[in-house]
Amino acid sequence: MFKCFYNKFAAWYLVVVLLLCLFTVNGYTQQPEANYDETRIPAYTLPDPLVLQSGKLVTGEPQWWKERRPEILSLFEMEMYGRAPSTATYLGFSVATQDTNALNGKAIRKEITVHFTKDKQGASMSVLLYLPKLNTPVPVFLGLNFRGNHTIIDDPGISVSAHWKAAEHRRGEDSLSWPVERIIENGYGLATVYYGDIDPDFDDGFLNGIHPLFFREGQTKPDPDEWGSIGAWAWGLSRALDYLVTDGAVDARRVVVIGHSRLGKAALWAGAQDQRFAVVISNNSGCGGAALSKRAFGETVGSINTAFPHWFCMNFRKFNNNEAALPMDQHMLIALIAPRPVYVASAEEDRWADPKGEFLSLLYASPVYSLLGKHGLSVKEMPALNEKVMGTVGYHIRPGRHAITLFDWERYIEFADLHLH
Ligand code: GCU
């Protein structure tokens, strides 16, 4: 009996020790519990987007474009998302499928393979494009999807990506996040790419995905200031736009880049870097997206870098549990989008993403909109649930959880109508 007790004890002891090792290796033990209490937010000072690093105030629009904007862009590149190659080493487009009678005759559906290597068997991503049947080039919503192009709508004509986990998902599985027909009926096209085509979302040391294509000879992983996965996804959005520019049915001057959650972070970073995007929309993007890092409310820099070590560049880890040292914050990411229209949306129950921090980024980016001749956020306090704030800068918070819903899309279509029609 004693032996049995002893064995059981030893087994449990081993399990506990193993679990502890695992958590310590991942750094979880070092992460303080998430704070959801406004009164426990650390005192913080936000860098002023209109003060140069030299301490001088930006005097006018030319100085913004020539000095301050490049300074801010470089901070996000060097310290957070990492530098990305500005273009592809090779870029080829081939229309893989086309159906002029999709959605019961209401739309045209195309699939375009974007090749990143001359060798057609090499790295590539597939752009799924739905277009309304109109006689003029149409504005388009462009966003990455989480589970594969075939999951956004139950349409047997959509190919299933061979990349990463796409084949594990059902057709139409994520259709609640993608009201395709509603978008088409409103005169917009919809373009989407499976994010796993660009870079599978796990920490594999950057062996798969597009990073290795750009390694120098002998390089085995990105340098500390080179792109992580969010940088790669944002880069993929710009390469999808490179294709849209060539498609005569699309008005590439009216492309809205949109994303939910981690893909909302990617949409913001794409919109900040690539000024060809006419409108930028972030849905529940939270930490590393629209939410201010220095509030350390909900998800923090330390927790995101620990749970997702591949998302940002290595330099970003300097700010784990040390947000005060950040030379920038997410309001400056929004400022990089100015004077173009930007919309941020939150969900009440999505406290992990810090709704208030998402709202405040818009507010504190607003002086840059004013400098560039536009109105920033028209309110100073968070609006009531379901109330929308529209203008060059848009915002809403709806009841419910972390998701992109029809309610959100209806606001985004309205926002796009306001600016693009
Ligand atoms: C996690 C992560 C968030 C991210 C979200 C998502 O919750 O911590 O930062 O936005 O996943 O992408 O769904």
Side-chain angles (χ1 to χ4, degrees):
M1 184 190 149
F2 271 122
K3 201 173 161 211
C4 167
F5 172 78
Y6 181 76
N7 280 345
K8 265 194 189 157
F9 178 77
W12 275 112
Y13 184 75
L14 206 71
V15 168
V16 169
V17 167
L18 274 173
L19 279 175
L20 270 177
C21 287
L22 209 86
F23 283 133
T24 315
V25 166
N26 280 309
Y28 284 119
T29 45
Q30 289 137 35
Q31 291 316 312
E33 239 181 72
N35 174 43
Y36 292 115
D37 180 349
E38 282 289 328
T39 66
R40 283 181 45 219
I41 286 174
Y44 64 90
T45 316
L46 290 179
D48 187 332
L50 291 177
V51 174
L52 288 151
Q53 277 179 307
S54 65
K56 291 206 182 97
L57 192 68
V58 173
T59 50
E61 200 172 322
Q63 203 179 20
W64 165 260
W65 291 111
K66 238 181 99 214
E67 289 180 53
R68 184 55 173 151
R69 190 179 187 281
E71 249 183 26
I72 296 177
L73 189 60
S74 149
L75 286 174
F76 281 105
E77 282 176 345
M78 307 302 287
E79 308 287 5
M80 190 170 180
Y81 302 104
R83 288 181 295 112
S86 55
T87 184
T89 47
Y90 172 87
L91 203 60
F93 309 124
S94 58
V95 177
T97 67
Q98 175 148 348
D99 180 351
T100 49
N101 262 320
L103 305 183
N104 297 320
K106 276 189 241 157
I108 298 165
R109 186 195 61 240
K110 294 188 201 180
E111 292 177 301
I112 303 95
T113 311
V114 177
H115 298 278
F116 299 126
T117 61
K118 266 202 189 119
D119 169 11
K120 297 284 181 272
Q121 304 310 312
S124 69
M125 66 180 190
S126 172
V127 179
L128 169 66
L129 178 61
Y130 281 100
L131 294 168
K133 287 186 176 170
L134 295 172
N135 294 326
T136 50
V138 293
V140 165
F141 283 94
L142 165 65
L144 301 174
N145 67 73
F146 279 91
R147 306 184 204 174
N149 292 348
H150 67 292
T151 65
I152 74 151
I153 186 170
D154 188 0
D155 176 344
I158 304 175
S159 315
V160 179
S161 168
H163 290 122
W164 198 34
K165 291 180 167 178
E168 294 173 13
H169 297 285
R170 272 187 297 110
R171 289 193 179 278
E173 185 180 295
D174 198 22
S175 57
L176 285 181
S177 308
W178 297 93
V180 183
E181 302 207 16
R182 183 72 67 106
I183 294 167
I184 298 293
E185 280 158 13
N186 280 278
Y188 293 92
L190 173 67
T192 186
V193 177
Y194 172 46
Y195 82 140
D197 279 5
I198 305 163
D199 189 24
D201 191 2
F202 63 97
D203 183 21
D204 73 322
F206 299 105
L207 298 176
N208 57 26
I210 52 161
H211 295 89
L213 280 184
F214 297 89
F215 286 164
R216 301 179 298 272
E217 217 182 296
Q219 187 179 10
T220 52
K221 60 175 195 215
D223 289 343
D225 63 353
E226 282 185 327
W227 55 344
S229 294
I230 293 178
W233 300 326
W235 181 91
L237 285 165
S238 284
R239 302 296 73 81
L241 179 56
D242 289 344
Y243 164 73
L244 294 176
V245 170
T246 69
D247 191 318
V250 170
D251 181 354
R253 288 161 311 164
R254 292 188 290 158
V255 174
V256 181
V257 65
I258 181 168
H260 166 61
S261 205
R262 68 197 68 182
L263 301 180
K265 308 181 208 297
L268 286 171
W269 180 225
Q273 294 174 93
D274 190 337
Q275 295 186 60
R276 296 175 300 168
F277 288 115
V279 176
V280 183
I281 298 176
S282 135
N283 190 84
N284 305 180
S285 62
C287 179
L292 291 174
S293 304
K294 288 180 193 275
R295 278 170 50 82
F297 186 101
E299 187 170 30
T300 61
V301 172
S303 34
I304 203 166
N305 277 333
T306 305
F308 307 99
H310 56 296
W311 280 5
F312 300 92
C313 74
M314 272 183 304
N315 278 345
F316 196 43
R317 299 182 192 177
K318 289 188 291 197
F319 306 103
N320 286 1
N321 306 318
N322 188 21
E323 286 87 354
L326 275 166
M328 74 288 186
D329 209 329
Q330 301 309 99
H331 62 308
M332 289 153 77
L333 183 68
I334 304 288
L336 291 174
I337 297 164
R340 291 165 293 150
V342 63
Y343 198 113
V344 168
S346 311
E348 187 188 19
E349 288 168 25
D350 188 20
R351 294 191 312 152
W352 182 238
D354 186 13
K356 185 163 180 193
E358 295 181 314
F359 171 82
L360 288 177
S361 274
L362 294 178
L363 186 66
Y364 297 133
S366 292
V368 178
Y369 278 85
S370 305
L371 177 83
L372 303 180
K374 301 279 180 186
H375 292 293
L377 204 61
S378 57
V379 295
K380 294 223 160 16
E381 299 293 331
M382 279 180 86
L385 290 178
N386 286 338
E387 211 171 85
K388 62 194 181 202
V389 178
M390 289 271 171
T392 306
V393 177
Y395 179 81
H396 74 250
I397 175 165
R398 59 156 174 79
R401 59 180 189 88
H402 183 73
I404 181 164
T405 65
L406 185 58
F407 177 88
D408 298 315
W409 273 102
E410 278 168 350
R411 300 292 82 68
Y412 302 150
I413 292 172
E414 193 180 334
F415 190 66
D417 284 348
L418 185 68
H419 296 291
L420 301 180
H421 275 313

